[in-house]
């Protein structure tokens, strides 16, 4: 792939953990630091980035895939000062990984990387072929999980697949809806311990790194219901501070 943007896939083991919410607000936080950011909606079956951002796109990834418009025409400005390439509806036929889908997704990522500082790939949830392929297009991965046992079990399964199938030796963890400060650290340590037991017998080292902790916050629900970015609606909230800290950590 050509040089350019840092490419981060943001994924999760299960749906409903706030992955797209984290992606959109992280993009906003990066853009507020003067970074050029594109969010690529790669959840081809159940895209909802347009809902989170309250956008009604005329042109989407579907139109690019079917040659109804150019890539430039489909990239749109989003609230928060970043750009988006929305999947939109009508992508169900692309929710299976065919050679055509592989080629088109790779070509799009190659085309956008030189134009931005960051490309955030908002993948679907789980470990389907399409999700894993979208993740493979990124240099770094953030797995979003909540403290709920089912979320952690699915996060573990996802990370294990990334470590074994994609030979990733470093995956970032974002704990969303943390109930208390430091809960993310505890969860990361627990997951790392279990993963080390599984991955290290294969002869490889593996590191799960806590990249962010987003607190359980009533302001999040308000932002979601109003279809606004949390960082614009309640920039001083605990959850917003966690998302800003995540952006700062990525920028380094």
């Amino acid at each position: 792939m050509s040089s350019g943007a840092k490419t981060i896939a943001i994924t999760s083991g299960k749906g409903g953990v706030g992955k797209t919410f984290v992606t959109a607000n992280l993009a906003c936080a990066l853009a507020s630091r003067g970074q050029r950011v594109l969010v690529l909606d790669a959840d081809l079956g159940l895209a909802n980035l347009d809902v989170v951002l309250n956008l009604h796109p005329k042109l989407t990834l579907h139109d690019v895939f079917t040659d109804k418009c150019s890539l430039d025409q489909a990239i749109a400005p989003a609230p928060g000062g970043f750009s988006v390439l929305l999947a939109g509806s009508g992508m169900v036929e692309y929710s299976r990984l065919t050679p055509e889908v592989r080629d088109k997704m790779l070509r799009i990522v190659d085309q956008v990387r030189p134009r931005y500082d960051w490309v955030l790939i908002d993948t679907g949830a789980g470990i389907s072929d399409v999700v894993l392929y979208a993740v493979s297009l990124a240099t770094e991965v953030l797995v979003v999980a909540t403290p709920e046992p089912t979320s952690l079990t699915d996060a573990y399964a996802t990370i294990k697949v990334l470590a074994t199938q994609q030979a990733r030796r470093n995956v970032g963890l974002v704990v969303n809806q943390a109930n208390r400060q430091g809960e993310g650290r505890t969860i990361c340590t627990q997951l790392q311990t279990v993963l080390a037991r599984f991955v290290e017998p294969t002869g490889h080292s593996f590191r799960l790194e806590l990249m962010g902790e987003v607190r359980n916050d009533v302001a999040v629900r308000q932002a979601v219901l109003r279809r606004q970015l949390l960082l614009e609606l309640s920039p001083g909230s605990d959850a917003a501070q966690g998302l800003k800290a995540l952006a700062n950590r990525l920028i380094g």
Side-chain angles (χ1 to χ4, degrees):
M1 283 186 279
S2 56
S3 64
K6 290 181 181 175
T7 334
I8 300 181
I10 301 172
T11 193
S12 64
K14 70 187 286 285
V17 298
K19 170 181 54 63
T20 300
F21 164 83
V22 168
T23 304
N25 283 280
L26 173 58
C28 179
L30 289 168
S32 72
R33 295 283 305 272
Q35 305 287 299
R36 296 170 302 157
V37 185
L38 173 73
V39 178
L40 170 59
D41 191 353
D43 189 350
L44 303 184
L46 297 165
N48 64 355
L49 182 63
D50 55 334
V51 176
V52 169
L53 294 170
N54 199 25
L55 292 173
H56 307 281
K58 290 188 171 62
L59 298 169
T60 66
L61 196 58
H62 179 254
D63 299 297
V64 180
F65 272 20
T66 53
D67 297 318
K68 289 179 182 164
C69 73
S70 69
L71 180 60
D72 284 346
Q73 288 172 315
I75 293 174
F82 56 96
S83 299
V84 288
L85 181 51
L86 297 167
S89 56
M91 296 295 283
V92 177
E93 65 266 42
Y94 297 110
S95 58
R96 285 186 308 107
L97 188 64
T98 62
E100 180 191 21
V101 170
R102 291 175 69 100
D103 290 347
K104 287 180 174 177
M105 286 181 68
L106 176 60
R107 194 159 65 241
I108 283 170
V109 172
D110 269 349
Q111 283 180 273
V112 297
R113 285 181 88 236
R115 309 183 198 178
Y116 296 92
D117 300 311
W118 300 85
V119 173
L120 307 183
I121 303 175
D122 185 29
T123 79
I127 50 175
S128 70
D129 287 349
V130 172
V131 171
L132 292 176
Y133 183 67
V135 171
S136 78
L137 297 173
T139 50
E140 297 175 42
V141 186
L142 291 178
V143 173
V144 179
T146 68
E148 292 181 3
T150 51
S151 171
L152 296 179
T153 302
D154 291 342
Y156 166 74
T158 297
I159 296 163
K160 191 168 80 170
V161 168
L162 296 177
T164 52
Q165 287 189 20
Q166 297 192 4
R168 291 192 182 266
R169 299 290 157 250
N170 191 10
V171 169
L173 177 69
V174 178
V175 175
N176 191 29
Q177 299 171 20
N179 298 301
R180 60 186 183 279
Q181 192 166 356
E183 187 172 32
R185 175 69 54 204
T186 304
I187 286 169
C188 186
T189 303
Q190 290 170 345
L191 283 171
Q192 174 69 50
T193 303
V194 181
L195 285 158
R197 244 183 278 149
F198 177 82
V199 176
E200 282 173 11
T202 65
H204 300 288
S205 61
F206 178 82
R207 183 170 178 235
L208 182 66
E209 187 175 1
L210 181 68
M211 295 299 291
E213 178 183 271
V214 182
R215 295 288 293 279
N216 207 347
D217 193 331
V218 67
V220 171
R221 178 168 167 76
Q222 291 169 349
V224 170
L225 289 174
R226 291 171 68 166
R227 297 188 182 184
Q228 283 182 261
L229 289 163
L230 176 70
L231 267 68
E232 294 197 326
L233 185 65
S234 303
S237 62
D238 285 346
Q241 297 306 316
L243 289 155
K244 290 175 191 174
L246 170 59
N248 291 343
R249 183 93 187 263
L250 289 172
I251 292 171

